Amino acid sequence: MEAPGERAGENVSFWERTAKKFQSAPLGEDLITDVCVIGAGIAGVTTAYLLARENRNVVLIDDGPVGGGMTGRTTAHLVTVVDDGYAGIEKMLGEECSRLVAQSHTAAIDKIEDIAMENKIECDFERVDGYLFLPPGGSVTELMKELDATHRAGLNNVERVNELPKTKIKTDAALRFPRQAQFHALKYLDGLGRAIVDLGGKIFTGTRIVSVKDGDRVEIETSVCNTITAQAAVVATNSPINDRLVIHSKQAPYASYVICLRVKEKIEHALFWDTAETAEEEKKTIAPAAYHYIRFARDEHGDVLMVGGEDHKTGQADDCEQRLAKLERWTRDRFPFVGEITDRWSGQVLEPVDGVAYIGRNPGDKNVYVATGFSGNGITYGTISGMLIVDLIVGRENGWAKLYDPARKTLQPRVLADYVRENANVAAQLRDYVTSGDEPSADKIKNGEGAILRNGVRKIAAYRDESGTLYEFSAVCPHLKCIVRWDSCEKTWDCPCHGSRFDALGRVLNGPAISDLQPLDAA
Ligand SMILES: Cc1cc2nc3c(=O)[nH]c(=O)nc-3n(C[C@H](O)[C@H](O)[C@H](O)COP(=O)(O)OP(=O)(O)OC[C@H]3O[C@@H](n4cnc5c(N)ncnc54)[C@H](O)[C@@H]3O)c2cc1C
Ligand code: FES
């Protein structure tokens, strides 16, 4: 078994297969710095790099390697199109906010291009067109409303097209978004890691943070009791580890699946995503999303087609093989030029209730900043986080600050309805305390598998490794005590409440939990 946090699941993503991750030594002493950035995904690395460019002393910490979190499991479409669409954002937040969303994502793509060029990072950055298309039976009227909303948001070059290039996808209409982009997420992070060190920044990997205390000086503590004292701290751990509930009640974790298939002929690169909606009836159960997102990428053997979708709420489905098979069928029906599957994996996105990320000062704090709620746009949001949080720290005006303020309240009825629905779903997970286990006893657990067992009033997370050794932990999530569930694809324990995830041996992979599943004798 690898070191904890090496990657966020058993499956190796395309990015992990084709690039190495930046690593350094763990922190082994107390430190004083200007800014401590916690989490070395796209948000933390970009923030640390931009701070180092401002001549700030910056320390970047991660409990795994750089890029070992969700940035290593992305599909890295760099797009101006947000998951809720501009018509949706307008409805929830108004026209001015919609304009700022378009402006900030456009600026983020430009920033990534500039950073890659300035630092000569070979990260396969490529400008490509993006196509938002209707699935069978999709509403042309709704798509045209989206077109009008993109124009009002300032994306005037978006246009309607009636065909998609180089696919067999039949659609009644699509929107073409020119000058979108794609890149290799881990090659980019590796280059930025080096640039941070060249600028005098310090990076410590393999270092877990267990406490962040706000004040005139922020006190940050590691799991081995080293302290970092900083004028400011940025919590860029994807799901904030410093917040118990405020932000976690305003966003919901969703698992998403990806497959890559070898491309058998030369195809011009483009991005695609559809507008498939989830049936209302299904939303009441595990709230899956039916949409797909598609791009090309290149390894040493040529191109692959990367297709994502089949989302469901984290920890609330364990049928990944069916989901991956469905994704494969969907792809082969529409892209006749694909061959064998080269990679498959899953990851997690955090959906904010009002459609835009939470980036800025942590609610109630003076010098602690957070970046979260990135939905499926986290590469651009991670870059926006760096640009915005650095401005807040150095005291520069930034027109996006109010839009992304983590303390904002949105009283629009659709937002309130989603808030109530997601939190009722969390409360419903407490029924796991009274249900039976997945298996009657540990004898039934096959090698390489895990299951929840019941022992009197206790729930136990039991995993049998490939050699037959059984490991047992308390199944109670250390965050707010929901019961975790087994994910047979990634071989992780996933919390269905706020998305904490643990590896098969109970070691924490994703916040908000900061500690591992407890051994049975300690629980
Ligand atoms: C399948 C999938 C497809 C996606 N597709 C796209 C896409 O096409 N376009 C797009 O823009 N976005 C996409 N996203 C979203 C995007 O990839 C993520 O939102 C983004 O990468 C998150 O970056 P981050 O920096 O917030 O978090 P991460 O990359 O997860 O980084 C957080 C880091 O914090 C570290 N950490 C956590 N807790 C601690 C602790 N206690 N102490 C120290 N370190 C800690 C972790 O080890 C991790 O390295 C996709 C996501 C998935 C899962
Ligand atoms: S993540 Fe909140 S209870 Fe598990």
Side-chain angles (χ1 to χ4, degrees), residues 6 40 47 77 109 233 241 260 280 291 328 337-338 376-377 381 391 426 428 431 452-454 471 492 519-520:
E6 193 60 32
T47 307
H77 295 58
I109 302 173
I241 53 151
C260 293
E280 278 309 309
Y291 63 84
E328 182 181 353
F337 50 76
V338 294
N377 298 102
Y381 270 135
D391 280 354
V426 169
R431 68 174 180 263
I452 297 293
L453 307 175
R454 172 171 283 287
Y471 298 86
T492 53
L520 283 185

Side-chain angles (χ1 to χ4, degrees), residues 319-330:
D319 55 355
C320 56
E321 287 303 337
Q322 285 101 303
R323 285 171 192 271
L324 289 163
K326 209 167 146 200
L327 211 48
E328 182 181 353
R329 272 196 308 278
W330 185 91

Side-chain angles (χ1 to χ4, degrees), residues 239 244-245 248 253 426 430 476-484 494-502 510-513:
S239 179
R244 289 294 281 170
L245 192 59
H248 301 295
V426 169
L430 295 173
V476 176
C477 171
H479 176 230
L480 290 177
K481 312 236 175 291
C482 290
I483 300 290
V484 296
D494 298 349
C495 181
C497 287
H498 313 101
S500 290
R501 295 174 66 248
F502 308 83
N510 284 95

